[in-house]
mmCIF file of all heavy atoms in Angstrom:
data_model
loop_
_atom_site.group_PDB
_atom_site.id
_atom_site.type_symbol
_atom_site.label_atom_id
_atom_site.label_comp_id
_atom_site.label_asym_id
_atom_site.label_seq_id
_atom_site.Cartn_x
_atom_site.Cartn_y
_atom_site.Cartn_z
ATOM 1 N N LYS A 92 9.277 21.081 -5.817
ATOM 2 C CA LYS A 92 10.649 20.599 -5.647
ATOM 3 C C LYS A 92 10.799 19.864 -4.320
ATOM 4 O O LYS A 92 10.220 20.260 -3.309
ATOM 5 C CB LYS A 92 11.646 21.751 -5.686
ATOM 6 C CG LYS A 92 11.766 22.370 -7.054
ATOM 7 C CD LYS A 92 12.935 23.311 -7.127
ATOM 8 C CE LYS A 92 13.030 23.860 -8.545
ATOM 9 N NZ LYS A 92 14.317 24.336 -8.889
ATOM 10 N N LYS A 93 11.625 18.836 -4.377
ATOM 11 C CA LYS A 93 11.941 18.074 -3.176
ATOM 12 C C LYS A 93 12.908 18.886 -2.321
ATOM 13 O O LYS A 93 13.875 19.446 -2.822
ATOM 14 C CB LYS A 93 12.579 16.742 -3.568
ATOM 15 C CG LYS A 93 12.779 15.788 -2.426
ATOM 16 C CD LYS A 93 13.305 14.464 -2.963
ATOM 17 C CE LYS A 93 13.351 13.420 -1.880
ATOM 18 N NZ LYS A 93 13.781 12.121 -2.423
ATOM 19 N N GLN A 94 12.637 18.930 -1.017
ATOM 20 C CA GLN A 94 13.465 19.684 -0.091
ATOM 21 C C GLN A 94 14.465 18.757 0.604
ATOM 22 O O GLN A 94 14.361 17.538 0.512
ATOM 23 C CB GLN A 94 12.570 20.374 0.952
ATOM 24 C CG GLN A 94 11.508 21.273 0.346
ATOM 25 C CD GLN A 94 12.084 22.357 -0.540
ATOM 26 O OE1 GLN A 94 12.762 23.247 -0.065
ATOM 27 N NE2 GLN A 94 11.828 22.275 -1.836
ATOM 28 N N SER A 95 15.400 19.328 1.309
ATOM 29 C CA SER A 95 16.452 18.535 1.958
ATOM 30 C C SER A 95 15.901 17.575 3.008
ATOM 31 O O SER A 95 16.513 16.547 3.291
ATOM 32 C CB SER A 95 17.505 19.452 2.583
ATOM 33 O OG SER A 95 16.895 20.312 3.523
ATOM 34 N N ASP A 96 14.732 17.877 3.565
ATOM 35 C CA ASP A 96 14.137 16.990 4.563
ATOM 36 C C ASP A 96 13.292 15.876 3.936
ATOM 37 O O ASP A 96 12.649 15.103 4.631
ATOM 38 C CB ASP A 96 13.303 17.785 5.571
ATOM 39 C CG ASP A 96 12.123 18.513 4.945
ATOM 40 O OD1 ASP A 96 11.918 18.407 3.715
ATOM 41 O OD2 ASP A 96 11.402 19.203 5.684
ATOM 42 N N GLY A 97 13.278 15.814 2.588
ATOM 43 C CA GLY A 97 12.533 14.769 1.887
ATOM 44 C C GLY A 97 11.102 15.139 1.545
ATOM 45 O O GLY A 97 10.440 14.441 0.788
ATOM 46 N N LYS A 98 10.612 16.228 2.109
ATOM 47 C CA LYS A 98 9.257 16.677 1.783
ATOM 48 C C LYS A 98 9.313 17.548 0.544
ATOM 49 O O LYS A 98 10.377 17.924 0.077
ATOM 50 C CB LYS A 98 8.655 17.421 2.967
ATOM 51 C CG LYS A 98 8.442 16.486 4.145
ATOM 52 C CD LYS A 98 7.399 16.995 5.054
ATOM 53 C CE LYS A 98 7.168 15.951 6.137
ATOM 54 N NZ LYS A 98 6.020 16.239 6.924
ATOM 55 N N TRP A 99 8.143 17.885 0.018
ATOM 56 C CA TRP A 99 8.039 18.642 -1.228
ATOM 57 C C TRP A 99 7.375 19.978 -0.968
ATOM 58 O O TRP A 99 6.531 20.110 -0.094
ATOM 59 C CB TRP A 99 7.239 17.833 -2.243
ATOM 60 C CG TRP A 99 7.988 16.644 -2.734
ATOM 61 C CD1 TRP A 99 8.262 15.501 -2.032
ATOM 62 C CD2 TRP A 99 8.582 16.469 -4.009
ATOM 63 N NE1 TRP A 99 8.990 14.640 -2.800
ATOM 64 C CE2 TRP A 99 9.200 15.201 -4.029
ATOM 65 C CE3 TRP A 99 8.658 17.257 -5.152
ATOM 66 C CZ2 TRP A 99 9.871 14.711 -5.137
ATOM 67 C CZ3 TRP A 99 9.316 16.766 -6.263
ATOM 68 C CH2 TRP A 99 9.922 15.510 -6.242
ATOM 69 N N ASP A 100 7.760 20.967 -1.768
ATOM 70 C CA ASP A 100 7.215 22.306 -1.638
ATOM 71 C C ASP A 100 6.980 22.879 -3.038
ATOM 72 O O ASP A 100 7.745 22.609 -3.955
ATOM 73 C CB ASP A 100 8.201 23.194 -0.867
ATOM 74 C CG ASP A 100 7.558 24.451 -0.325
ATOM 75 O OD1 ASP A 100 6.316 24.549 -0.320
ATOM 76 O OD2 ASP A 100 8.308 25.345 0.115
ATOM 77 N N ILE A 101 5.934 23.659 -3.192
ATOM 78 C CA ILE A 101 5.656 24.314 -4.466
ATOM 79 C C ILE A 101 6.479 25.595 -4.521
ATOM 80 O O ILE A 101 6.378 26.449 -3.644
ATOM 81 C CB ILE A 101 4.149 24.631 -4.626
ATOM 82 C CG1 ILE A 101 3.315 23.351 -4.525
ATOM 83 C CG2 ILE A 101 3.901 25.356 -5.941
ATOM 84 C CD1 ILE A 101 3.629 22.295 -5.554
ATOM 85 N N LYS A 102 7.310 25.716 -5.545
ATOM 86 C CA LYS A 102 8.227 26.848 -5.666
ATOM 87 C C LYS A 102 7.758 27.885 -6.680
ATOM 88 O O LYS A 102 8.151 29.035 -6.606
ATOM 89 C CB LYS A 102 9.631 26.367 -6.058
ATOM 90 C CG LYS A 102 10.267 25.505 -4.982
ATOM 91 C CD LYS A 102 10.484 26.323 -3.744
ATOM 92 C CE LYS A 102 11.203 25.565 -2.659
ATOM 93 N NZ LYS A 102 11.360 26.343 -1.455
ATOM 94 N N VAL A 103 6.946 27.472 -7.650
ATOM 95 C CA VAL A 103 6.471 28.383 -8.700
ATOM 96 C C VAL A 103 4.987 28.120 -8.937
ATOM 97 O O VAL A 103 4.570 26.963 -9.015
ATOM 98 C CB VAL A 103 7.242 28.162 -10.028
ATOM 99 C CG1 VAL A 103 6.646 28.988 -11.159
ATOM 100 C CG2 VAL A 103 8.719 28.468 -9.860
ATOM 101 N N LEU A 104 4.220 29.184 -9.027
ATOM 102 C CA LEU A 104 2.830 29.086 -9.460
ATOM 103 C C LEU A 104 2.538 30.294 -10.328
ATOM 104 O O LEU A 104 2.601 31.437 -9.863
ATOM 105 C CB LEU A 104 1.849 29.051 -8.286
ATOM 106 C CG LEU A 104 0.371 29.113 -8.709
ATOM 107 C CD1 LEU A 104 -0.011 27.908 -9.571
ATOM 108 C CD2 LEU A 104 -0.541 29.218 -7.509
#
Side-chain angles (χ1 to χ4, degrees):
K92 291 191 178 202
K93 188 175 187 176
Q94 304 303 293
S95 58
D96 62 1
K98 294 203 175 190
W99 290 72
D100 198 13
I101 302 300
K102 295 296 184 182
V103 173
L104 173 62

